[in-house]
């Protein structure tokens, strides 16, 4: 029992020392997106991935600013109709700029702004062993804007766990209708 207690206290001490440092930091992150689009008839959430790099500057033990450059696969799934599965696949370069407030050692809440840039947009249909893809970039705006909010925890040895929700603000569609991106992301990062 004493060994377990000493191990736990040592782990908390390492995490506190690692997370309490001020100054510049950078690293890489990757994870899973669960995405959707508002006002999408019969649309269901779809899984994708997110990968990229981040940089931050910790001004005090309580406050930091961070910026990410993230490749994010987003879109919506329409399920299966007549043995054909269809979805939209939207690829973005997102650049979230976040204020990070550390509630206590290692645990931070964050919020900010996120401009995004459409890299490609495709409608994908799969069925009967065939895959059809159609470029739909012309029906989409080239820029997107969201408000990211989230929580992160700086673990020992430079590992960072994060959950973030991006609230879509701008209309994705350049044609009729209004639809906004909705993204929930779980990532694991490593600070060098």
């Amino acid at each position: 029992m004493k060994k377990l207690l000493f191990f736990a206290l040592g782990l908390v001490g390492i995490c506190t020392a690692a997370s309490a440092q001020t100054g510049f930091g950078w690293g890489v992150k990757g994870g899973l997106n669960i995405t959707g689009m508002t006002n999408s008839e019969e649309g269901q959430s779809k899984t994708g991935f997110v990968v990229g790099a981040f940089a931050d500057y910790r001004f005090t033990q309580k406050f930091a600013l961070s910026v990410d450059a993230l490749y994010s696969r987003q879109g919506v799934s329409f399920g299966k109709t007549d043995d054909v599965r269809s979805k939209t696949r939207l690829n973005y370069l997102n650049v979230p700029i976040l204020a990070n407030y550390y509630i206590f050692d290692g645990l931070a809440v964050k919020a900010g702004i996120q401009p995004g840039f459409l890299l490609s947009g495709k409608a994908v249909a799969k069925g009967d062993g065939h895959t059809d893809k159609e470029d739909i970039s012309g029906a989409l705006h080239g820029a997107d804007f969201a408000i990211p909010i989230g929580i992160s925890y700086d673990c020992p040895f430079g590992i960072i766990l994060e959950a973030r929700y991006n609230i879509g603000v701008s209309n994705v569609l350049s044609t009729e209708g209004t639809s906004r991106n909705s993204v929930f992301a779980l990532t694991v990062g490593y600070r060098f």
Side-chain angles (χ1 to χ4, degrees):
M1 184 69 170
K2 285 183 181 180
K3 289 180 182 179
L4 184 60
L5 179 64
F6 284 125
F7 175 75
L9 288 173
L11 194 60
V12 168
I14 290 170
C15 202
T16 300
S19 66
Q21 298 174 0
T22 59
F24 178 77
W26 69 279
V28 294
K29 64 171 60 175
L32 175 72
N33 279 342
I34 301 171
T35 69
M37 295 173 71
T38 63
N39 301 327
S40 179
E41 291 182 27
E42 301 177 20
Q44 303 167 359
S45 61
K46 153 185 171 340
T47 57
F49 64 92
V50 60
V51 63
F54 69 90
D56 60 15
Y57 189 83
R58 192 144 176 194
F59 294 93
T60 67
Q61 290 185 3
K62 293 284 186 188
F63 182 73
L65 285 177
S66 63
V67 64
D68 300 355
L70 302 172
Y71 174 83
S72 180
R73 170 131 334 148
Q74 298 172 200
V76 65
S77 174
F78 295 103
K80 192 172 186 178
T81 306
D82 297 330
D83 293 330
V84 176
R85 292 188 182 277
S86 59
K87 62 185 170 185
T88 60
R89 183 181 295 158
L90 310 179
N91 297 309
Y92 282 93
L93 173 62
N94 291 327
V95 186
I97 302 163
L98 301 163
N100 301 269
Y101 180 75
Y102 288 84
I103 298 170
F104 59 83
D105 293 331
L107 183 66
V109 292
K110 43 186 69 188
I113 59 172
Q114 176 179 282
F117 307 95
L118 182 68
L119 301 174
S120 68
K122 293 189 183 331
V124 180
K126 292 182 181 181
D128 295 330
H130 299 335
T131 300
D132 294 323
K133 296 180 183 179
E134 179 185 350
D135 187 352
I136 58 169
S137 299
L140 305 169
H141 284 291
D144 185 40
F145 190 78
I147 297 174
I149 56 173
I151 189 166
S152 68
Y153 188 73
D154 294 7
C155 297
F157 314 113
I159 296 172
I160 301 169
L161 305 175
E162 184 174 352
R164 188 183 297 176
Y165 181 66
N166 298 331
I167 303 165
V169 175
S170 61
N171 186 9
V172 175
L173 305 174
S174 63
T175 57
E176 292 181 21
T178 301
S179 188
R180 294 175 176 82
N181 282 315
S182 173
V183 181
F184 178 73
L186 294 171
T187 60
V188 176
Y190 183 77
R191 182 185 310 276
F192 293 100

